[in-house]
Amino acid sequence: MLFNLRLIGLALLHYMLLLEIAADKLEWEPPRKYTRQDRIPMLYVRGSHFDVGRNTGTVFASMIQEFVATYTPLQGYLDAYNTPEGKRIYDDALTITLKVYPQYVRELEGIAMGANVSFNTLFLIHLDDTLTQNIPKYYPDKGPVGCTSILVNQRPFQCLAHTEDALIETVDHFYVISAHVIPAEDEKGGLFEAREEIYEAVVYAGQLPGYASAHTYCEVVYSINTIFNSKNLVNRIPRVFITRALLSNRGDFDDIKRILECEGGGTADGFNVNLAFINPSVTGGVRVFFHIEVTPNPYEQKSNVSIHPFFPGENGLHINKLLYSDYPELQESGVKSSIIKTRRYHKLTKHNPIKNLADVIRVIGDRDYSEGSPIFRDSPKDFVNSIMLGIFDFITLSWIIWSNDPQTNNPILQLPLNFTDLINPPLTQLCTNPLKPWWPSDFF
Ligand SMILES: *[C@@H]1O[C@H](CO)[C@@H](O)[C@H](O)[C@H]1NC(C)=O
C-alpha cells in the first residue's frame, strides 16, 4: 500500500513536472541556438577544389550538420526529390552542372565528405526552389533569404555595404574563408575551365562560397542579392555555382560578363550582383559601381545579363527585386520586404544622403520595425534575420565586418582588400594584365 502511494506520489510529481515544462513553453522564447553571438569564424585554406571543400567541411562540420538539421525548406526539397519528376529535375541539374563546372561539384563533394553530410542534401539546398517550383504539387515552398546592398560613390568616400539576410536558423551559421585554390588534374575538363583562384568570401554553412559577398585577388569586390523568380528553369545551372565561378574572375569586365552568361548552361534562377573594381584604372580612372541582374533564358543555354553603372556622385540600392530586367517574380515576403526596405531607405536618405561611413551605418543599420521591416533585421521574433554586415571600404581598402547590428556594436573584423594577410603568391598569372577597360564591346 505504502509502495503504491509512493508510486502515485512519484507519478503525480512527474505529471507536475510535465505541466511545468508545458507552462514554460507557453511563453515563447527563441531557442538557445538562435541567440545571436558576436563572432566571425574564419578559415585560411589552400589546395585543390576537393581539398578546400573537404577542409572547410571538416573545420565547420558541427555548424554544417546543425544547419542541415534545422534548415526548414529542406523537407520540402526532399519530398519533391522523392517523386519521379523531382528525381529527374535533380539528375538533369547535376548532369549539366557536371558538364560546365566539374571542379565545383568536386568542391561540394569535399564539403559534404568533410562535414559528414550527404552530397545529395547539399546539392538539394543548392538547387533551392528550382525543384519545388517545377512540381506543381509541392509549389510554393519559399526559403526566403534576402539581402541589402548599398553602393556609395561619393567624393571622398566610396563603399559597397551589404547585409546578409537569411532564415533565422542561419544566424551564427556562416563563416569567412580565405582560399587559394590550385585545381588538381582530375578537376579539369569542364566547359568552364578550372582556374587557380585566390579569394576571401562570406559563406553560408555548407554552401559553395561566392553567393554572399567576396573580394578576389584580381581586385574585384562583389555582393549577391537573391531574386525571387517565379519561373525557375529546369536543365540549367543552380545560381550558386555561377556565383562560385565569379570568384575565379580575372579582373576584367568581359571575363565577368562571360562567367555570368554561363554559355552552355545558363542560370536556373535569378540573382543580382553588386560589383566594383578596386583599381579605378579599369574604369577609366574613375570609380564605377555596377548593378548586374542575371536571369534565366528560356530559349538558349545561357543567362540574360543586364548591367547598370553608377558613376561618381551616384549612390545605389539593390534589394531582392529586379530593377532592370523583365522576368516574372514571386509576390511573396522577399519581394514585399524589398518594397518596404526601399521605402525606409528613401525616408532615411531623402534629407540626409549617404556621404560617409557613419551615414552608411545609420542607414543600413536601421532597426525600426514600425513599417514592417527595417533594413537590418535582428528581432528574435522575425523569421528572417540579418546575419552579418560587411562594408567594403574603397578608401581604407578594407572589408569591415559586423556580426550584430552596427549601431550598437563595433565591427569584429577588418580584412585588407589587397591580400596582405596571405603569404603565398599565385603560381600562375591570375589577372588580366594589362587591365582591360570595363565596357564590354556590346555595352552601349
Ligand atoms: C557520419 O554520419 C553517420 C550518420 O549519417 C554516422 O553513422 C557516422 O558515425 C558519422 N561519422 C563520423 C566520423 O562522425
Side-chain angles (χ1 to χ4, degrees), residues 93-270:
L94 185 54
T95 303
I96 193 164
T97 308
L98 272 167
K99 191 175 107 193
V100 181
Y101 300 124
Q103 65 273 44
Y104 301 137
V105 174
R106 195 80 186 117
E107 195 171 292
L108 193 62
E109 283 170 354
I111 296 173
M113 182 178 283
N116 195 24
V117 297
S118 83
F119 171 82
N120 180 256
T121 301
L122 294 188
F123 194 74
L124 279 171
I125 292 174
H126 283 65
L127 254 185
D128 208 318
D129 293 333
T130 299
L131 191 54
T132 42
Q133 272 196 5
N134 286 287
I135 298 182
K137 201 167 123 205
Y138 293 99
Y139 175 83
D141 176 27
K142 284 310 299 176
V145 288
C147 300
T148 305
S149 292
I150 296 177
L151 309 176
V152 183
N153 198 356
Q154 301 297 324
R155 277 198 193 90
F157 180 71
Q158 300 119 41
C159 80
L160 164 54
H162 181 77
T163 58
E164 282 301 329
D165 291 2
L167 292 178
I168 191 158
E169 54 261 35
T170 318
V171 166
D172 299 329
H173 289 77
F174 71 96
Y175 34 83
V176 176
I177 75 169
S178 177
H180 183 172
V181 181
I182 301 144
E185 281 310 311
D186 65 355
E187 294 172 338
K188 296 178 179 169
L191 275 183
F192 184 78
E193 70 281 11
R195 296 168 162 187
E196 183 180 8
E197 302 171 343
I198 298 178
Y199 62 82
E200 286 176 340
V202 168
V203 190
Y204 287 101
Q207 212 178 56
L208 286 173
Y211 195 71
S213 43
H215 71 109
T216 70
Y217 193 80
C218 300
E219 305 198 319
V220 171
V221 165
Y222 75 89
S223 69
I224 302 291
N225 290 315
T226 289
I227 295 296
F228 297 103
N229 285 340
S230 61
K231 287 197 168 90
N232 291 354
L233 300 183
V234 297
N235 198 26
R236 295 292 194 281
I237 304 287
R239 57 191 169 196
V240 181
F241 283 86
I242 298 176
T243 54
R244 172 64 191 82
L246 196 51
L247 290 172
S248 77
N249 76 74
R250 286 344 197 182
D252 80 86
F253 208 90
D254 280 332
D255 186 53
I256 288 165
K257 191 157 173 272
R258 176 169 89 87
I259 291 171
L260 296 174
E261 278 175 350
C262 186
E263 191 94 43
T267 189
D269 204 344

Side-chain angles (χ1 to χ4, degrees), residues 246-298:
L246 196 51
L247 290 172
S248 77
N249 76 74
R250 286 344 197 182
D252 80 86
F253 208 90
D254 280 332
D255 186 53
I256 288 165
K257 191 157 173 272
R258 176 169 89 87
I259 291 171
L260 296 174
E261 278 175 350
C262 186
E263 191 94 43
T267 189
D269 204 344
F271 58 97
N272 145 248
V273 185
N274 305 275
L275 181 143
F277 300 92
I278 292 169
N279 184 346
S281 66
V282 186
T283 43
V286 291
R287 177 83 55 217
V288 185
F289 286 89
F290 300 90
H291 280 169
I292 307 174
E293 290 178 348
V294 185
T295 51
N297 183 329

